[in-house]
Amino acid sequence: MTAVCEGCKDLNRTVLMLGDLALYAHEPGADPVFVEVVGAALAASLPEDTSPPGPGDGTDYPGQGW
């Protein structure tokens, strides 16, 4: 068994809940207000930036500026 940091567990759990919420949003009879409120709350609980650096993030890539 691999050790996973507590923050990573929280992030994974939140992402799974967002996915479940997205599925629920497309179900007949889904409550759009619930989806909006819970989705915003879950999104607000995510770290500010979980993406890897890429173009435009201040990293110099070969050929940039040509």
Side-chain angles (χ1 to χ4, degrees):
M1 178 181 238
T2 10
V4 178
C5 69
E6 192 59 38
C8 297
K9 288 180 189 177
D10 288 344
L11 175 62
N12 289 338
R13 193 173 19 250
T14 302
V15 170
L16 287 173
M17 286 191 286
L18 280 167
D20 287 342
L21 184 65
L23 292 173
Y24 167 74
H26 293 286
E27 291 290 320
D31 182 352
V33 175
F34 174 81
V35 172
E36 184 178 337
V37 170
V38 173
L42 287 171
S45 73
L46 291 170
E48 282 189 34
D49 185 13
T50 57
S51 61
D57 291 339
T59 308
D60 291 329
Y61 290 93
Q64 186 176 6
W66 287 83

